[in-house]
Structures are given as C-alpha cells and as structure tokens.
C-alpha cells in the first residue's frame, strides 16, 4: 500500500508545527478555552481554575516525559553513593 507523500518526508524536511499553546510564567496568560486568567500551577502543567483547560509550562516544554534511569554502579566497578 503506498504511503501518503507527507508521511514519506523525513523529519528534517517537514514544515514546523503550528502555534504551541504554553503557559508563560510572569506574563498575563489568557485561557484558550474560556479567556479567563486564573491558573493553578503545577510542576509540569498549568490548569485553568475556571474551565480546567491544561497547558504545559514554558519552562518544561520540550523536556521528555520518559522516566530517567540511574545506574547503581559507577564506571570502574565502584558502587554509586546515593
């Protein structure tokens, strides 16, 4: 089955994505859902206090959500101290 032309493009040739909605700390952020400016701020997301629309924080945008694994041993065979 042939693939669409856009799927065949490499990621380097794809056009950039559209506008990304982000919560910017220290700025007046209007909710895209209801237009209000009251937010509940978490570690990774900001949630509108009125309509519960969630936006990622600008500071953590682009940081992966994959867990970070730390080896229990240092290079050279010495045990790691945590």
């Amino acid at each position: 089955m042939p693939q669409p032309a856009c799927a065949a493009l490499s990621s380097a040739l794809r056009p950039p994505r559209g506008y990304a909605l982000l919560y910017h700390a220290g700025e007046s952020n209007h909710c895209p859902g209801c237009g209000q400016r009251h937010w509940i701020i978490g570690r990774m997301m900001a949630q509108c206090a009125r309509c519960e629309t969630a936006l990622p924080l600008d500071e953590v945008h682009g940081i992966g959500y994959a867990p970070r694994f730390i080896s229990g041993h240092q290079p050279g065979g010495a045990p790691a101290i945590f």
Side-chain angles (χ1 to χ4, degrees), residues 7 9 17 27 33 46 48-50 52 54 59-60 70 82:
L9 292 175
R17 290 184 177 184
E27 296 182 15
C48 176
R50 182 173 181 226
E52 300 181 356
E59 297 91 31
V60 297
I70 301 172
F82 292 102

Side-chain angles (χ1 to χ4, degrees), residues 30-82:
H30 294 270
C31 175
C34 66
Q36 296 295 316
R37 296 181 303 177
H38 303 285
W39 296 91
I40 301 167
I41 311 299
R43 292 184 300 153
M44 304 279 291
M45 305 287 285
Q47 182 177 1
C48 176
R50 182 173 181 226
C51 71
E52 300 181 356
T53 298
L55 296 178
L57 298 178
D58 181 38
E59 297 91 31
V60 297
H61 179 69
I63 297 175
Y65 294 102
R68 309 281 192 254
F69 295 102
I70 301 172
S71 173
H73 297 284
Q74 294 178 344
I81 300 173
F82 292 102

Side-chain angles (χ1 to χ4, degrees), residues 8-16:
L9 292 175
S10 70
S11 61
L13 298 176
R14 288 187 186 159

